[in-house]
Amino acid sequence: MKRLLGALIVLLVLLTGFGIAAHVLIDRSALRQDVIAAVKRQTGRDLEIGHFSVQVFPWPSFAARDVTLSDLPGSDRPPMLRAREVHASLALTPLIWRQLRLEHVVVTGGTLTLRRAVDGTANWNFTPPERDGARATTGSTHRVQAHWKAELGSASIMDTGIDFQDLAARQGGHVTIDRLELDGLPSSSPYLDLQAHHANTPFTLTGHIGPLSVLTGKNPPWAVSLGATLGAESAHRDWVNIDGQINDPRHLQGISGTVRGELAHLNDLSGVFPHADLPAIDGLGGEVGVFDVPALSQGWHAIAAGIGVNHIHLHMASAPGWNGVQARQTSIDGETLSSPLTVTTDLQWRTRIGHVQGQFGTLSQALAAWHTRLGTPLPVAIEMREPGKSGLAATDRHDPDQDATISLRGTLGAHGTQLALDGHAQGFAIRGATLTNAALKATLGADGTKNVQLRDLSLSSQEVSLTGTAGFALTRNPDIHAVLEVAHLDMDALSGLWRHASPPAAVIPDARSAPDAAPGVAGVVASAVKPMAGTQQAPTTAANPDVSPASRSLVEMLRGRNGDIRLHIGTLRFNGQDYSDLLAHAVLRQGHLTLDPLSGHGAGGALSGVIDYDASQEPAVLSFRFAPFLLPATLAEMQAGLPLLLRGPLEAVGELHAQGGDRAALLASASGHLGLSMVGGNIDGRLLGQLIGHDAQVVLGHGDVGLRCLGVHMQIDRGKANLDTIGMQAGPVAATGSGTIDLATQELALNLTPRIGFGSAGASTPVSVGGTLGAPMARQAAGQDGRFEVTLGGAAPDPCGPALNAAREGLGGDAPPEARHHSRASDFLHALGILH
């Protein structure tokens, strides 16, 4: 025991003495110069070291402060590398072969500046200088400089910033290294473990890379196996794994291998690559086998255009929308280059969902088409099915599709496309209408990427039967040509396409809000048949309909565009009546639109019209002539921005001229004469009650009222309409009168004589209507003597004949139905509110 203790004391003394002796005997200055010379000889760069210390016990090591490594030789730029502190251990065995192998190198507080010039010269490429055999001399004493080789075995880098600037690719950025562990650096497969962040985005990179001899000018293929994560550990982290080879590691070009990963949002990568301009794809993941990837410095778009793929399995939760179409739950699969490239997705447009399955040739064919921008034709087979078949739920209960399937088969190509379109559905919803037992066929062709033709077009259902051809150019200002033949069209069954979903609600204030209002005619009748009722009635207002103007004016839509569309309808069912041989020809030439002819035949005779809108000049000029012409009243009211008062076929006769690029300008400048008439159809009882007096709703109610006739004729001058004839009858209410309307402001100044009849009895009184079309104010009108007059009883003349004759300007038309003979007792009960 004493001998062992003595031996340990002797060993301790020897080691301590050896350490002190080494510390005294080692020439630290010469060692520093050897290190500087070795770096210069192998890299061509100047290494500067501030404070330098050497330690031998318990293991050879050194420490340095204020270390810098110069930039490219001859450059006046700041040093490429700066480090506040460097610690390292020296491996003993390599010293035998004159190698300074540094192990466990720790760099703290550093800054690494990486730059590539416009000519492609990069400062991370090291070029050793030519050896000249020079020897260092001191005075007359010569000392041979031993050529030591310096290399790193392992290293740790802490708290170091990397500034990157690539002037050739116009890219750059800054990354802060929190911790970087490097091991096995002299081997052919160094290992790295990186934790870093860019701005506030943390990321990691771990794995093996190729040999570092690439830094000294060599360019061997690199085998890489790397795994990266993005985001904090406490949150969901995106991850990517790369296994493969880089044929040209100096230029990061020629990558081949397999990429796997999951990204919650592709835009998350913008935290590290802020200028990548990545699309907004969510839930991206899967596996892709790549080869011949272009240089990363060329940017994401160049990589996507030139990348090779030998297998692919990708899924996306959602992708960016295109023209309102959103893709969700997308998967892309191709097992090998000779396997089919299949794509499945769910497309949503507004409230409609469709499940799409498609095959785009083989993976090899798809790549060839991608790289040549469809210069190589690509066979495709696409099928879209209604939601029920894909397990999805329709989002709009009002628009359910029943067994709907649409398929496209053929080839896509930049120099020629041929696709066969085939679709069918037991019920296909379009807006508020439904096509029953619908079938669609067409041949879609294109001679390039801009001009598209639809040939052998056929659409058939219970509601419509259509054939024809169409062509258009996919340019900024599309040129459209079409010839359409419609065998039959049932607009009553498809009224949801053009009819407003619901009439606007009227706002009826309390009677106490206007105590000075005179009683309406219905109030007089109510007083006569029901003495308990009060006589003071309130004026009424109606809210303006929710009709928003188009975001783009008609002038902007027409200018610079061309088109020629011919439409012929054999038979048309509209509002319970049949029309035949309807013809419309629309020609558009650089903003000049002409609809001539607009013609057809109805029960009342021939229909014709001409519309000319020249938007190629300033101001645009509109003129139209109707002699006569029928159109849906709701559609006309919506286009004119009027309250939805009428529903049914509106007949227009007359000629108008106006100037302007929008609706307001056209209405303010309108001049001409116009007659509007309707036989049959419906009128909104609530709005009608507001026009002739709120108390009229006692007998009219608040819903639609059957309209026997309506005739209005007007002379228009600079936006002021002088209504020389007004006549109508709806249910028990009839009215005649005249007045004026400001078309631009919709201000009213009407003098009406409404009459409510009960069998052979009735009551009438003059009414003055002010306000606007959206908010009319009806008041009982006083005579010249200032007195209010009420006429009770007596038969009244039928207003329909004179009003329709004036509105039609002498042209023929449908006769109104025979006047309905009311039950006097039931009318009294309706007025009392007992019957509804």
Side-chain angles (χ1 to χ4, degrees), residues 23 85 162 223 226 269 297 319 337 339 401 438 443 472 501 586 593 664-665 687 730 791:
H23 182 73
E85 294 183 0
I162 298 179
L226 297 172
L269 293 177
S297 60
L337 285 172
S339 300
D401 295 339
T443 300
F472 52 92
L593 174 64
L687 292 177
T791 302

Side-chain angles (χ1 to χ4, degrees), residues 300-591:
W300 294 101
H301 297 291
I303 295 173
I307 192 172
V309 178
N310 54 37
H311 72 272
I312 183 171
H313 299 283
L314 285 181
H315 57 264
M316 294 179 288
S318 67
W322 180 75
N323 286 349
V325 179
Q326 185 74 32
R328 302 182 183 278
Q329 304 303 325
T330 303
S331 63
I332 304 173
D333 295 282
E335 188 65 34
T336 64
L337 285 172
S338 59
S339 300
L341 178 63
T342 61
V343 178
T344 62
T345 186
D346 296 327
L347 296 181
Q348 181 173 353
W349 181 71
R350 295 184 179 178
T351 60
R352 193 184 300 276
I353 295 179
H355 183 69
V356 178
Q357 292 180 325
Q359 287 190 357
F360 296 83
T362 64
L363 181 56
S364 177
Q365 291 173 322
L367 282 174
W370 176 268
H371 291 157
T372 61
R373 297 186 177 183
L374 290 178
T376 303
L378 178 65
V380 299
I382 305 172
E383 183 178 80
M384 183 170 68
R385 299 175 293 175
E386 50 93 7
K389 288 189 174 183
S390 64
L392 300 175
T395 59
D396 188 352
R397 297 179 181 178
H398 301 290
D399 290 342
D401 295 339
Q402 302 175 14
D403 194 25
T405 302
I406 299 177
S407 65
L408 278 171
R409 297 180 183 275
T411 58
L412 286 174
H415 306 292
T417 294
Q418 292 292 328
L419 295 173
L421 173 65
D422 189 0
H424 63 269
Q426 294 181 5
F428 188 79
I430 305 176
R431 204 172 175 181
T434 300
L435 296 178
T436 306
N437 295 329
L440 174 65
K441 293 182 180 295
T443 300
L444 178 65
D447 54 8
T449 59
K450 295 182 178 180
N451 299 314
V452 180
Q453 300 87 36
L454 275 176
R455 300 187 299 272
D456 305 323
L457 174 63
S458 172
L459 172 62
S460 63
S461 70
Q462 294 181 7
E463 297 78 18
V464 61
S465 176
L466 178 149
T467 59
T469 61
F472 52 92
L474 298 177
T475 59
R476 181 177 180 182
N477 296 318
D479 188 351
I480 302 175
H481 295 77
V483 177
L484 304 176
E485 180 73 30
V486 181
H488 77 273
L489 175 61
D490 190 344
M491 290 190 67
D492 289 345
L494 301 176
S495 59
L497 291 175
W498 49 268
R499 179 176 293 173
H500 197 274
S502 59
V507 178
I508 304 175
D510 189 272
R512 293 168 293 184
S513 64
D516 57 338
V521 63
V524 175
V525 176
S527 299
V529 300
K530 189 171 60 173
M532 296 295 295
T535 58
Q536 284 192 344
Q537 302 296 329
T540 59
T541 59
N544 289 328
D546 184 15
V547 180
S548 59
S551 58
R552 296 180 61 195
S553 71
L554 184 60
V555 172
E556 293 175 329
M557 295 175 60
L558 296 179
R559 283 180 177 170
R561 300 189 180 187
N562 299 308
D564 191 317
I565 300 176
R566 295 178 182 267
L567 173 65
H568 179 258
I569 303 177
T571 60
L572 181 142
R573 183 76 172 172
F574 178 54
N575 201 54
Q577 299 187 23
D578 293 323
Y579 301 87
S580 62
D581 197 24
L582 300 176
L583 178 64
H585 184 198
V587 178
L588 177 62
R589 291 289 180 268
Q590 297 297 316

